[in-house]
Amino acid sequence: MATSASASLSKAVKQQYMELPQGDKVQAMYIWIDGTGEGLRCKTRTLDFEPKSIEDLPEWNFDGSSTYQSEGSNSDMYLIPSAIFRDPFRKDPNKLVLCEVLKYNRKPAETNLRITCKKVMDMVEEQHPWFGMEQEYTILGTDGHPFGWPSNGFPGPQGPYYCGVGADKAYGRDVVEAHYRACLYAGVKICGTNAEVMPAQWEFQVGPCEGINMGDHLWVARFILHRVCEDFGVVASFDPKPIPGNWNGAGCHTNFSTKEMREEGGLKAIEDSIEKLAKKHSYHIRAYDPKGGLDNARRLTGHHETSNIDEFSAGVANRGASIRIPRNVGQEKKGYFEDRRPSANCDPYAVIEALIRTCLLNEEGDVPADY
């Protein structure tokens, strides 16, 4: 099993230093999305006080030519603090700071999808849109081989692994437990976790979050997962189909509701939204992975609990549909629906913005309106 060299460094020795007092200084780790739209970057600065809100945090900058975000001749990019969390690695009073990225001319970077998402969310805030996202991922060794799999073959076929217990069924639970507790400490709205259908594949759920908070909390949960895996010397992959063949892919099923959907008779609003989504299937497929649908094409085959990427479908309790209405929602005639199309490596800001544009702003056609 290939693990990173840094994982073998003594954590006990490191702990000696981490227990040293830090005086009245605070370490703030600034986190941002790089030019791939999938990768996360971070760096730390010292503050003379403990920030209590975003307004307390200074802007910062970084070299965008080294993050696929600018040319070397004009490389300074701005980091704009957008959300603040407790730091589960350095602990209180230290902070994690999620940032938006602006270019040298203070226009949003190409992968800063938060800025338009926030604008769209502000337009519908009186409808109180709630989201919950189910983030699937696969634990890999540093050689790209799934954690715990035989080095020259495959484990037994899928069946015993989903929500499995036991050393021969659950691969890498220590990572999952550490991540869960770190998210709770940080203030991330993590609401659950489970082992998935493919061995070494897991899922955590974040939500319910209102509006832009969904994207903020999921990105920080992803960052924390990468950092936890770094400590264990393994890799968290959000590839939608890490192993070809008869193995489940990885998605980021997105649950969505509005105040109207959650109230008595809300099923009508849910059905109206599904009707609108049916007319904009190709637009949503393009928004639901960072490569405009190419990544999802490997996953959405109509097999392994997925719908076909070329066809829109909806049904009650149907895990082979684009949109699933949970059984209890069908019975109670109110609640939420689940969009099963987003890929594991989607940008949550793009996903939730697309849902709002189609379901609440009633946009038509393939080009998003400019507000």
Side-chain angles (χ1 to χ4, degrees), residues 81-366:
S82 303
I84 187 170
F85 295 83
R86 295 167 74 197
D87 186 338
F89 305 102
R90 295 167 173 150
K91 305 198 176 76
D92 288 339
N94 304 300
K95 305 297 180 192
L96 300 179
V97 182
L98 183 67
C99 299
E100 284 189 19
V101 176
L102 300 183
K103 296 192 276 198
Y104 70 94
N105 56 7
R106 300 194 71 83
K107 288 191 159 53
E110 282 70 15
T111 53
N112 177 1
L113 305 186
R114 187 184 189 275
I115 207 156
T116 54
C117 182
K118 176 85 168 69
K119 198 182 289 185
V120 164
M121 290 300 162
D122 288 346
M123 292 171 68
V124 297
E125 66 181 330
E126 76 289 344
Q127 299 189 52
H128 299 286
W130 287 6
F131 302 94
M133 297 184 86
E134 307 168 25
Q135 177 69 69
E136 293 178 334
Y137 64 96
T138 310
I139 302 174
L140 307 176
T142 50
D143 56 358
H145 197 65
F147 181 80
W149 285 34
S151 52
N152 292 317
F154 298 93
Q158 297 183 155
Y161 308 108
Y162 172 72
C163 297
V165 181
D168 57 342
K169 299 178 184 70
Y171 298 12
R173 193 185 295 276
D174 284 357
V175 169
V176 177
E177 295 295 339
H179 173 251
Y180 201 149
R181 190 62 59 89
C183 282
L184 290 173
Y185 182 94
V188 169
K189 283 193 166 185
I190 188 168
C191 61
T193 188
N194 58 271
E196 266 304 332
V197 177
M198 186 179 88
Q201 187 186 64
W202 295 81
E203 172 182 303
F204 63 89
Q205 302 93 28
V206 176
C209 294
E210 188 162 327
I212 197 72
N213 287 333
M214 182 68 253
D216 294 347
H217 282 247
L218 190 69
W219 272 116
V220 171
R222 286 175 175 178
F223 173 82
I224 292 172
L225 179 63
H226 286 309
R227 268 292 284 107
V228 166
C229 284
E230 186 184 317
D231 283 348
F232 282 105
V234 294
V235 176
S237 169
F238 297 118
D239 190 295
K241 189 74 175 178
I243 307 297
N246 200 20
W247 302 98
N248 272 36
C252 193
H253 303 157
T254 301
N255 302 280
F256 171 57
S257 70
T258 60
K259 188 168 179 287
E260 185 184 4
M261 293 176 194
R262 296 187 293 271
E263 290 172 346
E264 291 303 319
L267 186 61
K268 171 80 169 68
I270 291 171
E271 289 169 342
D272 288 349
S273 286
I274 292 172
E275 216 169 284
K276 294 171 192 171
L277 289 166
K279 294 173 182 160
K280 295 197 66 178
H281 180 61
S282 61
Y283 163 73
H284 282 264
I285 289 296
R286 283 200 306 279
Y288 283 1
D289 83 48
K291 297 186 179 67
L294 293 177
D295 275 345
N296 242 341
R298 293 183 284 125
R299 167 183 160 255
L300 296 179
T301 58
H303 303 290
H304 306 110
E305 299 182 55
T306 68
S307 57
N308 186 302
I309 193 166
D310 297 318
E311 297 164 10
F312 181 88
S313 56
V316 174
N318 182 359
R319 283 180 160 76
S322 312
I323 305 291
R324 178 179 72 95
I325 297 175
R327 172 91 52 213
N328 64 316
V329 172
Q331 289 166 346
E332 294 174 15
K333 306 272 190 282
K334 64 177 180 179
Y336 66 97
F337 66 84
E338 175 192 50
D339 192 333
R340 298 178 60 81
R341 295 171 294 175
S343 67
N345 62 342
C346 69
D347 187 324
Y349 297 126
V351 172
I352 63 177
E353 178 185 329
L355 283 167
I356 295 297
R357 284 179 178 275
T358 299
C359 299
L360 302 189
L361 297 179
N362 304 317
E363 290 187 16
E364 294 175 356
D366 270 358

